[in-house]
């Protein structure tokens, strides 16, 4: 973990703890999905694809499914976080 990223990871951890204790689930997912630490971890696993091919495929599948389901639900005026 680079020294510059420690502040972002600590901020995400504190937000996660606070959100789990005091905030609604929809607000929690919106809050935590805006954290760069999640995307840095995903990109680090994707760039080391030779070492973790299953993890890389799972991450890509997750983001594709999340985006597709989100678009479908949003277009039908259903709640999506």
């Amino acid at each position: 973990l680079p020294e510059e990223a420690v502040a972002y990871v600590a901020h995400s951890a504190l937000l996660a703890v606070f959100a789990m204790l005091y905030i609604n689930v929809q607000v929690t997912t919106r809050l935590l999905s805006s954290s760069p630490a999640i995307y840095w971890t995903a990109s680090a696993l994707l760039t080391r694809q030779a070492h973790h091919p299953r993890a890389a495929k799972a991450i890509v599948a997750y983001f594709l499914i999340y985006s597709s389901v989100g678009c479908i639900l949003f277009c039908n005026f259903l709640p999506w976080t």
Side-chain angles (χ1 to χ4, degrees):
L1 183 67
E3 191 171 312
E4 296 86 13
V6 171
Y8 291 106
V9 173
H11 183 253
S12 296
L14 289 174
L15 278 177
V17 169
F18 179 76
M20 283 193 281
L21 295 175
Y22 298 107
I23 300 177
N24 184 337
V25 172
Q26 289 181 339
V27 177
T28 301
T29 55
R30 289 179 186 158
L31 192 67
L32 296 177
S33 68
S34 65
S35 172
I38 295 168
Y39 302 106
W40 287 337
T41 305
S43 66
L45 286 173
L46 286 174
T47 55
R48 288 182 255 157
Q49 195 170 17
H51 300 292
H52 304 287
R54 285 185 72 186
K57 288 180 184 177
I59 289 171
V60 170
Y62 170 78
F63 282 125
L64 287 174
I65 292 169
Y66 188 87
S67 298
S68 300
V69 171
C71 289
I72 292 168
L73 290 177
F74 181 78
C75 291
N76 290 308
F77 302 105
L78 294 170
W80 183 251
T81 301

